[in-house]
């Protein structure tokens, strides 16, 4: 997945997480999980992507690749929170993950731009997501299932559940040396 192309790439739950999410969505809808599981799964993936966009964070851990300029300056990685960065330690290269979970990379000046691989995400699975995020995703998917023939506004409760997890970036500043 490439975050540098303007987004998180293809945001999808794996089969195990999707089955759990479908169960939670079906419970909210008071229907059985055997009723339209493909649609419920697709809505869960879409709601997860919307939650990531709203919060500004990768919610479930995944591998990310991002192209970084080699100009001797610190560059903040796009996906957050960063868990690990894979970069060969050569003279002039450095990595940092700050207390906020932002990943930083500095490549030696004059080298070719490099594709940096790293892992980013708040939780390793659906079950580990904080309850407010998980509940908001399930509620949004359930709302979209119910309102698929209408053009209704999503419930305000969804944004209220996600808002504590929202990250806003005002300006990029390099980490302290």
């Amino acid at each position: 997945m490439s975050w540098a192309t303007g987004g998180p790439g293809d945001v999808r739950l794996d089969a195990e997480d999707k089955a759990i999410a479908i169960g939670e969505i079906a419970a909210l809808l008071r229907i059985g999980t055997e009723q339209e599981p493909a649609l419920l799964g697709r809505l869960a993936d879409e709601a997860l992507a919307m939650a990531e966009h709203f919060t500004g964070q990768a919610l479930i851990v995944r591998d990310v690749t991002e192209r970084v300029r080699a100009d001797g300056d610190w560059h903040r990685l796009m996906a957050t929170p960063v868990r690990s960065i894979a970069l060969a330690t050569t003279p002039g290269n450095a990595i940092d993950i700050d207390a906020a979970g932002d990943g930083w990379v500095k490549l030696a000046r004059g080298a070719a731009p490099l594709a940096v691989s790293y892992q980013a995400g708040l939780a390793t699975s659906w079950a580990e997501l904080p309850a407010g995020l998980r509940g908001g995703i399930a509620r949004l998917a359930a709302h979209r299932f119910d309102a698929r023939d209408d053009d209704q506004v999503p419930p305000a409760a969804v944004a209220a559940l996600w808002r504590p997890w929202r990250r806003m970036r005002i300006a990029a500043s390099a980490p302290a040396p």
Side-chain angles (χ1 to χ4, degrees):
M1 159 190 330
S2 175
W3 199 280
T5 57
D10 195 21
V11 179
R12 292 181 190 266
L13 293 165
D14 66 22
E16 183 179 333
D17 285 341
K18 190 172 287 193
I20 298 168
I22 288 170
E24 290 183 20
I25 296 163
L28 283 170
L29 292 166
R30 296 185 178 119
I31 63 172
T33 56
E34 69 283 347
Q35 291 182 306
E36 303 190 64
L39 176 58
L40 291 175
R42 192 187 85 230
L43 292 172
D45 287 338
E46 291 172 2
L48 175 65
M50 291 174 79
E52 288 195 354
H53 181 73
F54 183 88
T55 62
Q57 300 185 67
L59 297 181
I60 296 182
V61 173
R62 62 180 167 271
D63 295 325
V64 181
T65 301
E66 184 175 330
R67 199 151 188 77
V68 177
R69 288 189 321 267
D71 57 8
D73 293 331
W74 284 100
H75 297 278
R76 183 188 341 226
L77 298 172
M78 298 293 292
T80 190
V82 173
R83 290 181 168 238
S84 65
I85 304 170
L87 181 66
T89 53
T90 58
N93 289 355
I95 61 173
D96 184 42
I97 300 174
D98 65 24
D102 290 330
W104 296 87
V105 175
K106 179 169 71 169
L107 300 177
R109 184 179 306 277
L114 187 64
V116 175
S117 297
Y118 59 103
Q119 282 199 321
L122 186 64
T124 58
S125 68
W126 175 266
E128 287 186 15
L129 278 174
L133 288 170
R134 201 173 59 242
I137 293 166
R139 279 174 178 73
L140 179 59
H143 166 78
R144 295 196 61 231
F145 182 88
D146 272 346
R148 61 184 177 256
D149 295 327
D150 300 328
D151 193 19
Q152 296 179 10
V153 175
V158 171
L161 289 165
W162 292 347
R163 194 166 289 119
W165 298 97
R166 191 170 199 181
R167 292 185 56 166
M168 308 277 293
R169 290 184 179 171
I170 296 173
S173 58

